Amino acid sequence: MLSRLIRLIRKLNVKQQLILLFLIMISPIFFLNIFGNLKAEQILKRHVTNAYVELNKQNFTIINRDIDTVNKITTTVIQNPLIQQINMTGSDTILERVKRYETIEKLLVSYSQGAERGDGIYYSLYIYDPNDYYFFAPNFPQVKKAGVYFFSKAEEPYWFEEVVQKKGRGSLKFTERLSAQAENLKTLTYMRAVNNISRKAETIGVLVITKMDSKIGESLKSISLPDGEIYLTDLNNRVLASTTNNTGELIALPETVVAEDLEGTGDVITSDFIYVVNNNHSLGQKLVYKVPVKALLQQQNEMKSVIQYITVAYAVFGLIMITYFWRSLMTPLQKLAFFMRKYEPGNRVPETPRRGSNDEVSVLIASTYDMARRLNGLITYKYQMELKQKESQLQLLYQQINPHLLYNTLESIYWKSSLEGNVESAEMIKELSKLMKISLSRGRELISLEEELEHATAYIKLQQLRYDYVFRVVMDIHPDTKSNLIPKITLQPLIENAIIHGVKNMGEDGEITITAVCEDETVRISIEDNGYKSVDYEAIEAVLNDDSPNPTSGYGIRNINQRIHLHFGSDYGICYTPGTEGGTLVTVKLPKSENQD
């Protein structure tokens, strides 16, 4: 997959690669922007939610403290002797009942908070009066009024029996109206049964505290949430008190909150709201915080907008820079590429474009045009050299006519001498003609080792006939080496040195050994004599490797070494070392090759 992607990228031209580069540079910025905003939003939501959880716990504690305060007051009211002395036996006079009624009414009014402002809580006592002993007392309770209310069995409020069953435990309850005779006004009440202390099985009445939503609402409004809502509900999600005007309504909570409904504080974060819910099953209450995410993230959205503007500005700036570099870099390079595709060596080179700057692109363009002009000059020069080479080759062919004539003439003399009986002279003429024939080699520089050995053998025989030398020559040539290429006239100068400096004056004791073997990809040719003269091998090494040698000494072997270097490289050549049994050993190292002629 990666190699396929690399091949696809390599197929793009420079313009497409620049566009791809721009997208690669811009894309991470956008991805990081999106990821960073999302992550920051999640972190902010979580931190703020954790803070709201702690705030919710404190707020719920404050509400419970307010309710506990009301509960303590109700305990005080219940324990008041005036209330405990109420009886429905009819043993007291009407005057005593009226006085008791007025005293209890004043007591309840004194406990009512904020009654004079009209926004406080009101204490009312509801007493069951089946025999209508307190006929003079009102029986139409009011939400915003403290007092004592007596009712008969037919007038019993729908909540009375439920409160009595709780055996003196107080509870919050939302009521549409207090009784059939009361005004139709919604209120949050705190109700607690008033039991007779001396006769615990007997219930005197129910103490009702109305407008509890006002008192609890003060505690709720003390908490500031950004455009948020706070609800105190029962376990059925009916609003008991809130910072809004929807007391008594059912609120919708996320399914996860409804499904879990665990004791304690939990939170749920949706796409639109953050819900923090504190469940208290013992009190049958929930404290719910509902905070819109939009309001919470308003400042972050402003920061997000700033970052997005910066990102867009960066993208526009990057696009401007790409456009600038495209015009200043790619347009000249496109023109240069067009010139290179259109240009053919030898055609006229137009004038070099001027850009008014000395940057790398300008240098490249100017150098390319100059290179094209130099190429044209080289083409012209090569054409002229080829003409001169043809003329030289033709001249060489003319010059080779004379050696061929001489070779043919020598052949004629050889046959005439043979016919006249001059065998020795004829042999010398024959060997000389071989030397000349192989030296010509049809103009070739490289010949086979077999041909070179034939040339060397002719030279040896000619020397033996000329000077009456009686030294021996032993050849051990491996068959695989005979077709190997070697520069012509390589072995003859080396054999000549072996004769002159080695075995010349040794008579029959003189011996020259010529061997040729293959070693992997190398062919080694050795010429060893058994001469007795001392040899300065360091001087020979200096002659072979000296860049500016003395032309009067060692010219022949240095010429051989250089020709081998020119044909095959510096890893090959000749080397002089002492022989195995005295004398001198010269080794010719050649690469393994085949004669393709």
Side-chain angles (χ1 to χ4, degrees):
M1 183 66 182
L2 181 60
S3 59
R4 183 179 179 184
L5 180 61
I6 294 174
R7 287 197 301 270
L8 182 62
I9 293 175
R10 287 177 177 174
K11 291 181 181 180
L12 301 177
N13 57 36
V14 179
K15 179 179 179 181
Q16 293 170 335
Q17 290 181 7
L18 275 178
I19 295 174
L20 180 61
L21 176 63
F22 173 74
L23 293 177
I24 292 175
M25 291 173 58
I26 292 299
S27 298
I29 302 298
F30 283 102
F31 289 141
L32 286 175
N33 184 18
I34 295 172
F35 177 76
N37 287 332
L38 181 62
K39 205 67 179 176
E41 183 175 315
Q42 292 175 350
I43 293 173
L44 179 61
K45 286 180 181 178
R46 175 44 51 196
H47 286 332
V48 171
T49 301
N50 292 339
Y52 284 156
V53 167
E54 295 300 321
L55 184 63
N56 186 291
K57 293 178 181 178
Q58 297 177 10
N59 195 189
F60 199 74
T61 302
I62 293 173
I63 293 173
N64 287 335
R65 186 179 61 192
D66 291 341
I67 295 174
D68 188 56
T69 300
V70 172
N71 188 60
K72 290 180 180 179
I73 295 175
T74 59
T75 301
T76 303
V77 172
I78 291 171
Q79 293 175 351
N80 191 287
L82 291 174
I83 295 179
Q84 288 295 320
Q85 293 172 4
I86 295 178
N87 63 80
M88 294 301 168
T89 60
S91 59
D92 49 358
T93 63
I94 294 178
L95 182 60
E96 290 175 339
R97 297 174 194 169
V98 171
K99 288 180 179 181
R100 185 179 293 112
Y101 163 76
E102 291 178 348
T103 304
I104 295 175
E105 179 121 340
K106 290 178 182 180
L107 176 66
L108 295 176
V109 170
S110 67
Y111 281 113
S112 298
Q113 301 175 7
E116 65 279 1
R117 298 192 306 270
D119 58 354
I121 59 176
Y122 302 90
Y123 286 77
S124 299
L125 180 60
Y126 289 77
I127 301 174
Y128 178 52
D129 184 13
N131 299 317
D132 199 20
Y133 288 140
Y134 289 83
F135 59 89
F136 52 83
N139 61 349
F140 46 91
Q142 300 182 38
V143 173
K144 294 184 178 182
K145 189 176 186 306
V148 183
Y149 303 97
F150 296 87
F151 59 89
S152 61
K153 184 64 178 178
E155 298 170 340
E156 180 179 325
Y158 64 93
W159 42 261
F160 186 83
E161 190 61 30
E162 179 185 349
V163 176
V164 170
Q165 293 299 324
K166 292 184 178 180
K167 301 184 182 298
R169 287 187 296 108
S171 63
L172 287 175
K173 184 176 183 62
F174 176 78
T175 57
E176 296 285 348
R177 58 195 306 174
L178 293 175
S179 69
Q181 296 79 22
E183 57 184 336
N184 189 10
L185 188 62
K186 299 177 182 179
T187 181
L188 178 64
T189 61
Y190 182 83
M191 299 182 178
R192 184 177 179 183
V194 180
N195 296 322
N196 193 305
I197 298 175
S198 59
R199 297 186 297 274
K200 293 183 179 180
E202 182 179 339
T203 300
I204 299 173
V206 173
L207 188 62
V208 178
I209 298 91
T210 59
K211 298 301 290 181
M212 283 292 294
D213 48 335
S214 300
K215 183 170 184 61
I216 296 176
E218 292 178 4
S219 299
L220 299 181
K221 290 177 181 178
S222 64
I223 305 300
S224 177
L225 299 181
D227 296 335
E229 300 172 358
I230 305 176
Y231 303 96
L232 180 68
T233 71
D234 57 18
L235 297 180
N236 296 321
N237 299 328
R238 182 177 295 277
V239 178
L240 302 178
S242 69
T243 55
T244 60
N245 294 323
N246 55 352
T247 304
E249 299 178 2
L250 290 174
I251 60 170
L253 296 178
E255 293 183 0
T256 52
V257 174
V258 176
E260 292 179 0
D261 197 26
L262 300 176
E263 182 78 14
T265 306
D267 61 84
V268 174
I269 302 176
T270 66
S271 58
D272 297 323
F273 295 97
I274 296 176
Y275 293 89
V276 179
V277 181
N278 192 336
N279 286 307
N280 192 319
H281 291 174
S282 61
L283 297 177
Q285 299 168 5
K286 294 181 183 179
L287 182 61
V288 180
Y289 284 2
K290 180 180 178 182
V291 182
V293 174
K294 183 178 180 181
L296 179 65
L297 301 178
Q298 184 174 0
Q299 288 184 338
Q300 187 193 4
N301 290 334
E302 294 176 359
M303 182 61 69
K304 187 190 300 184
S305 300
V306 173
I307 295 175
Q308 289 174 348
Y309 291 146
I310 293 174
T311 303
V312 172
Y314 172 79
V316 172
F317 175 74
L319 184 60
I320 293 173
M321 293 301 296
I322 289 291
T323 304
Y324 168 76
F325 281 111
W326 178 263
R327 296 188 60 185
S328 62
L329 179 64
M330 295 310 304
T331 301
L333 288 179
Q334 282 182 325
K335 292 181 180 179
L336 179 61
F338 176 75
F339 165 72
M340 294 301 295
R341 286 195 295 266
K342 182 180 178 183
Y343 169 71
E344 294 180 0
N347 291 349
R348 187 184 69 85
V349 179
E351 184 180 354
T352 304
R354 301 296 177 187
R355 300 183 68 237
S357 60
N358 195 28
D359 57 5
E360 289 79 359
V361 177
S362 300
V363 172
L364 176 62
I365 294 174
S367 300
T368 303
Y369 276 78
D370 292 342
M371 181 180 65
R373 292 189 182 93
R374 288 196 300 272
L375 181 60
N376 283 350
L378 289 174
I379 290 172
T380 303
Y381 176 76
K382 181 181 178 183
Y383 175 71
Q384 293 173 351
M385 290 298 102
E386 286 179 351
L387 288 179
K388 291 181 179 181
Q389 183 182 11
K390 295 296 183 182
E391 292 175 358
S392 300
Q393 290 177 349
L394 184 60
Q395 187 67 28
L396 180 62
L397 291 175
Y398 281 120
Q399 290 176 356
Q400 287 179 351
I401 293 175
N402 291 332
H404 275 286
L405 288 175
L406 179 59
Y407 165 71
N408 292 334
T409 302
L410 289 173
E411 285 289 325
S412 299
I413 296 173
Y414 163 72
W415 288 110
K416 183 172 176 55
S417 299
S418 297
L419 291 174
E420 291 176 352
N422 297 322
V423 178
E424 189 173 343
S425 298
E427 283 296 321
M428 293 181 68
I429 293 170
K430 180 181 178 182
E431 299 301 331
L432 179 61
S433 66
K434 284 184 180 180
L435 284 176
M436 295 191 66
K437 178 181 178 182
I438 295 172
S439 298
L440 291 174
S441 301
R442 292 175 291 174
R444 294 176 296 151
E445 287 296 326
L446 297 176
I447 62 175
S448 67
L449 178 60
E450 186 175 13
E451 292 177 286
E452 180 66 11
L453 289 172
E454 186 180 351
H455 178 271
T457 302
Y459 171 76
I460 292 171
K461 288 182 179 180
L462 189 61
Q463 292 297 311
Q464 288 175 332
L465 291 172
R466 180 181 177 188
Y467 297 108
D468 295 328
Y469 291 150
V470 291
F471 60 82
R472 295 186 308 277
V473 177
V474 180
M475 290 192 181
D476 184 11
I477 309 300
H478 195 279
D480 293 343
T481 63
K482 291 184 178 181
S483 61
N484 206 80
L485 293 177
I486 184 173
K488 65 182 179 181
I489 316 177
T490 295
L491 301 183
Q492 181 267 323
L494 302 178
I495 295 172
E496 182 180 356
N497 286 340
I499 294 172
I500 296 173
H501 301 291
V503 300
K504 179 178 179 181
N505 299 317
M506 294 179 65
E508 294 180 353
D509 294 332
E511 181 177 297
I512 297 175
T513 304
I514 303 173
T515 60
V517 294
C518 288
E519 298 177 356
D520 296 331
E521 296 299 319
T522 303
V523 173
R524 293 186 182 273
I525 305 169
S526 302
I527 302 172
E528 183 178 5
D529 64 75
N530 60 348
Y532 56 88
K533 295 181 181 179
S534 61
V535 179
D536 189 351
Y537 295 104
E538 293 183 359
I540 295 175
E541 187 71 20
V543 169
L544 292 176
N545 297 317
D546 194 0
D547 291 335
S548 55
N550 185 357
T552 60
S553 64
Y555 181 81
I557 60 174
R558 189 174 189 280
N559 179 277
I560 294 170
N561 200 43
Q562 286 185 337
R563 284 193 291 126
I564 293 175
H565 286 178
L566 289 173
H567 283 293
F568 304 118
S570 59
D571 292 335
Y572 304 95
I574 64 176
C575 176
Y576 274 86
T577 58
T580 56
E581 299 179 359
T584 301
L585 172 64
V586 57
T587 303
V588 181
K589 181 182 177 183
L590 299 172
K592 190 174 181 180
S593 58
E594 294 290 336
N595 186 6
Q596 301 295 328
D597 238 4

